[in-house]
Structure formats: C-alpha cells, structure tokens
C-alpha cells in the first residue's frame, strides 16, 4: 500500500514552469473536463515515432502492488523484457528517482505529473503505439489536465479513486452528508477526526470552502491565489485543533480507526474494505472530494523505450489493468475488465469504475502552479512550494 506523503525537497520542477497562456475552461471536478487545454511552456522532448527492437529489460518505479510477478513474469515471457521494479513510498521519491535517468517508467500520481513534465523528466506518449489505449479506457481518465499538456499526452492511465469520508457507524450513527463533521470546530466528533498528512491536503480545505464560502471565488481547489490559499490554511489550522492525528501510512490509519482514536475522516475507499468490518462506512459528501489518478509515464532519458512502450500496452489490457486495480484497490482504467467475470464486475461496482457521475464530484490531485488552471489571468496562483511551506505552518 502506498504512502503519498509529500515533503519539502524536489520542488525545483515547479519553479521551472514558465507560464505563458491561460488554461481552457474548467468544469466541476477534475480540471478541464478532459479537453487537455492546459497551455504552458515545457521542455521540447521528442516523441517516439515507431517501435523498434526490445532492449531486454525495463526499469520501473511504482507504487506497491502495481508491478507484481503474477503479471510481470508473463510480460517477460511474451517480450523478453525483464522487469526490474523499484517500489517508491512517496510522489516526491518518484520525482527524485526519475530525475536520475536510471528508470524507464513511473506510475505517477497527479501530484507529481506536472513536476515531471515541467522538469523535462518524462517524454510525450505516442498513443498510436499503445493499441490497448482505446475506446475501453474510461473517458474520465483520458486527456486530463494533470497529464495532458498543450494537447499532448504524457501519461497512460492506470486507475483512480476518491478521497472519501470514512466513519465508524457504531459511533457516528447518522450517515454524514457533509464534510462539516470533519471541518467545523463544533463537530460532535472533535478530537477524534483524522486528516491527511501532506501539502496536497490543502485542496481538501479548498473543496470545503468552495461550497461554504463562495465569496472567496474558488472554482478549482488546485488554483488558489494568495488570499484563497490563506483562507484554506486558516481552515486547516482550525481543524488542527479537533484532529486526533494525521495519516500518511494507510496501515496506521486502519489502526487509528480500530483503536477508536479516530471515528471519522478522509480516507481511501480501499481502507474501509481492508478493515473487513462492516461498521466502517464511507460516503462521498455533498461538497465533493479530492481524489487521485495514476498514470504510467516514460522517462525522457529512457534507455529501454521499446520495452517501456510494451509494458504500457501490456498493462493497459483488461486482464492486467484489472489485476493491478484489484491488487491495489482502485477503479481500473480499462472498463472492459468489468465485463470479464462476476468478481471483476463486483470490484468495478465497489469502486465506481464506470460511474462518471460519481467521479464528476471528485477533483483529482493536480500539482499547483503559478498559472491559474481555472482560467484566471488577472492574478498569479500559488505553486507547490508555497503549498508545502504553508502546510508546515498548519502542523506547527
């Protein structure tokens, strides 16, 4: 199980963003509605035009559970490309490792994607070389603002999930409909609320403010000017007084719920499932939520690009993409998996795999940059380094 905590190093790529034009119009949740209209200056890196001979190996940085012998060994038998896996525990670690040039592929989340693209660490993807990237890939994971720049794709989707509100139904006896039980100082569960331990959690506060303080003018939780960022930080500081603890380690979160140190808070859907106890329920509140979407990205200096492309295609097949999704606990990118058998269908139903109405209420992690991705041109938005600095003030 991965740990997506973000720390203070490796922020140079954000600073390297040269901002030149406004983004396209945004729609509620998820950036630009799949139009790939974010326009920024990025390093000019050539895209691979055609497949060549396999190089015999591929080096992959991945979240735990994404690259397992069950499917990696079959890939090697099929292609002759030996899979060398390195597990990373954080998005920051992935960025650092990809900068070494020693790795061909990374399973990047949206909180790392723009850093990698802007830093020249990954190359554009030629979708024509990936036959399994077709009509069966869910629409909500195509052409998104966190991995599609200037109309060019840099990522092949793997899976997605929402950061939902999880609660102990034996204590929280009435199903919550709002995040107010986790954010307001007068919450009856004050002192037993868990929060996520990362600068990207600022976006969760922004989602809440979008609904409850509309005068702030927030229309995208990853596009915050200085005033809006300060409002989110103020809310986080208020929440800090009622938080029992912050989590970055999923196992620790489960322990916190099991020991009743925590009775509600932000979580991943799979964590409720892993407790194997029906008293733990979850809900996507009326304000919506943040979420995450992961994609394969190919290193700009990849020494094994043909094996890299072969892996992206192989792992995008219904069977393999579904195996990854089931192993980790998320909605798969390839919807054809959902029709393979009853177990696959049950998994897809549980994680809302093809329910785009559900995911319209989810704002997928996107690296904050100075260009306002909500389309504003009259202000400068705050970047990831500013969010990181601000997060340190929340925790003290």
């Amino acid at each position: 199980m991965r740990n997506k905590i973000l720390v203070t190093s490796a922020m140079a790529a954000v600073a390297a963003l040269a901002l030149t034009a406004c983004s396209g119009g945004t729609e509620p949740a998820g950036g630009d509605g799949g139009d790939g209209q974010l326009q920024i200056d990025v390093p000019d890196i050539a895209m691979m035009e055609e497949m060549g001979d396999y190089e015999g190996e591929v080096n992959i940085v991945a979240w735990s559970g994404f690259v397992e012998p069950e499917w990696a060994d079959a890939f090697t038998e099929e292609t002759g490309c030996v899979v060398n896996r390195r597990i990373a525990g954080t998005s920051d670690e992935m960025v650092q490792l990809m900068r070494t040039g020693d790795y061909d592929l990374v399973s990047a989340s949206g909180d790392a994607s723009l850093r990698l693209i802007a830093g020249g660490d990954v190359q554009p993807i030629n979708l024509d070389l990936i036959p399994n990237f077709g009509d069966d890939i869910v629409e909500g994971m195509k052409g998104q603002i966190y991995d599609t720049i200037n109309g060019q794709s840099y990522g092949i989707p793997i899976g997605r999930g929402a950061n939902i509100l999880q609660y102990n139904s034996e204590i929280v006896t009435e199903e919550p409909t709002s995040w107010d039980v986790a954010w307001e100082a007068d919450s009856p569960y004050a002192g037993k609320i868990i929060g996520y331990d990362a600068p990207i959690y600022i976006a969760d506060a922004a989602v809440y403010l979008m609904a409850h303080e509309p005068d702030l003018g927030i229309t995208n939780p990853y596009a915050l000017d200085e005033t809006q960022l300060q409002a989110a930080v103020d809310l986080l500081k208020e929440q800090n007084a009622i938080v029992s603890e912050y989590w970055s380690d999923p196992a620790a979160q489960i322990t916190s719920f099991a020991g009743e140190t925590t009775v509600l808070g932000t979580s991943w859907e799979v964590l409720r499932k892993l407790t194997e106890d029906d008293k733990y329920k979850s809900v996507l509140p009326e304000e919506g939520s943040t979420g995450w979407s992961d994609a394969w990205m190919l290193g700009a200096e990849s020494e094994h690009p043909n094996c890299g492309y072969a892996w992206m295609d192989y792992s995008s097949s219904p069977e393999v993409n579904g195996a990854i999704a089931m192993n980790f606990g998320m909605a798969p990118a390839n919807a054809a998996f959902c029709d393979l058998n009853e177990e696959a269908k049950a998994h897809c139903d549980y994680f809302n795999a093809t329910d785009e109405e559900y995911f319209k209420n989810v704002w997928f992690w996107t690296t904050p940059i100075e260009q306002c991705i909500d389309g504003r041109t009259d202000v400068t938005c705050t970047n990831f380094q500013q969010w990181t600095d601000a997060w340190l003030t929340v925790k003290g």
Side-chain angles (χ1 to χ4, degrees):
M1 190 64 67
R2 66 182 157 182
N3 166 3
K4 288 183 173 176
I5 185 174
L6 304 172
V7 293
T8 59
S9 61
M11 303 303 171
V14 175
L17 283 167
L19 309 177
T20 60
C22 67
S23 64
T26 58
E27 296 179 4
D32 66 353
D35 295 325
Q37 294 299 308
L38 182 61
Q39 303 288 323
I40 61 177
D41 282 346
V42 296
D44 186 12
I45 299 173
M47 181 180 71
M48 198 160 127
E49 296 296 336
E50 59 183 14
M51 292 290 291
D53 295 334
Y54 295 142
E55 300 89 356
E57 66 177 330
V58 60
N59 301 313
I60 304 176
V61 178
W63 300 117
S64 178
F66 278 36
V67 182
E68 299 299 318
E70 179 182 351
W71 48 90
D73 289 350
F75 171 76
T76 300
E77 290 181 11
E78 180 180 314
T79 64
C81 300
V82 175
V83 178
N84 303 311
R85 176 191 67 171
R86 173 154 181 173
I87 299 301
T90 70
S91 287
D92 189 77
E93 183 183 0
M94 287 187 174
V95 172
Q96 293 281 34
L97 290 171
M98 289 304 291
R99 285 188 183 152
T100 67
D102 295 335
Y103 297 91
D104 302 295
L105 290 172
V106 60
S107 60
S109 298
D111 54 346
S113 301
L114 287 183
R115 284 189 279 168
L116 291 167
I117 296 169
D121 303 304
V122 294
Q123 61 181 270
I125 301 295
N126 187 339
L127 299 180
D128 291 339
L129 301 182
I130 303 177
N132 280 315
F133 186 93
D135 293 340
D136 290 327
I137 301 299
V138 295
E139 287 301 317
M141 294 188 71
K142 291 180 178 178
Q144 292 301 312
I145 201 168
Y146 42 78
D147 61 16
T148 303
I149 303 299
N150 306 334
Q152 175 62 58
S153 176
Y154 285 80
I156 299 301
I158 307 168
R160 59 181 173 174
N163 297 321
I164 43 77
L165 176 62
Q166 178 169 290
Y167 61 98
N168 182 336
S169 63
E170 291 184 353
I171 299 172
V172 184
T173 55
E174 183 176 346
E175 181 183 57
T177 59
S178 168
W179 281 105
D180 58 3
V181 292
W183 288 101
E184 296 297 337
D186 60 355
S187 169
Y189 310 106
K192 290 188 174 292
I193 296 166
I194 199 166
Y196 190 55
D197 193 0
I200 206 70
Y201 187 50
I202 291 172
D204 291 64
V207 168
Y208 188 73
L209 291 172
M210 285 170 65
H212 295 274
E213 294 189 29
D215 289 346
L216 285 168
I218 301 173
T219 60
N220 184 309
Y222 306 103
L224 305 181
D225 59 35
E226 290 187 3
T227 299
Q228 294 165 340
L229 175 63
Q230 187 58 56
V233 169
D234 289 344
L235 178 60
L236 284 158
K237 288 180 177 179
E238 292 173 10
Q239 189 199 43
N240 180 264
I242 61 173
V243 164
S244 55
E245 59 184 295
Y246 294 96
W247 72 278
S248 58
D249 178 357
Q253 195 216 40
I254 291 173
T255 299
S256 184
F257 269 94
E260 296 188 3
T261 300
T262 293
V263 299
L264 65 82
T266 185
S267 182
W268 300 331
E269 188 68 70
V270 68
L271 299 183
R272 178 174 72 85
K273 190 174 184 180
L274 288 175
T275 62
E276 298 182 340
D277 191 329
D278 288 340
K279 72 181 180 183
Y280 299 113
K281 311 280 186 194
S282 64
V283 63
L284 183 65
E286 60 193 11
E287 298 92 349
S289 77
T290 59
W292 45 268
S293 181
D294 296 337
W296 297 116
M297 305 187 88
L298 183 66
E301 300 179 13
S302 171
E303 295 181 0
H304 314 102
N306 293 289
C307 283
Y309 265 89
W311 174 266
M312 288 189 288
D313 184 50
Y314 170 80
S315 60
S316 296
S317 69
E319 296 82 3
V320 180
N321 181 246
I324 295 171
M326 290 190 71
N327 193 53
F328 179 74
M330 62 182 173
N334 194 324
F337 164 72
C338 304
D339 298 325
L340 292 181
N341 51 54
E342 288 302 315
E343 183 182 21
K345 183 179 185 304
H347 177 88
C348 289
D349 289 345
Y350 188 94
F351 290 98
N352 303 288
T354 59
D355 187 352
E356 293 302 333
E357 287 301 313
Y358 176 87
F359 283 110
K360 280 183 178 178
N361 296 313
V362 177
W363 294 87
F364 293 105
W365 286 349
T366 303
T367 308
I369 59 175
E370 292 179 2
Q371 177 180 331
C372 295
I373 61 174
D374 59 5
R376 288 179 293 167
T377 58
D378 57 340
V379 295
T380 298
C381 278
T382 51
N383 63 32
F384 194 40
Q385 183 62 62
Q386 291 171 283
W387 282 40
T388 301
D389 294 341
W391 178 245
L392 295 177
T393 70
V394 171
K395 296 188 66 180

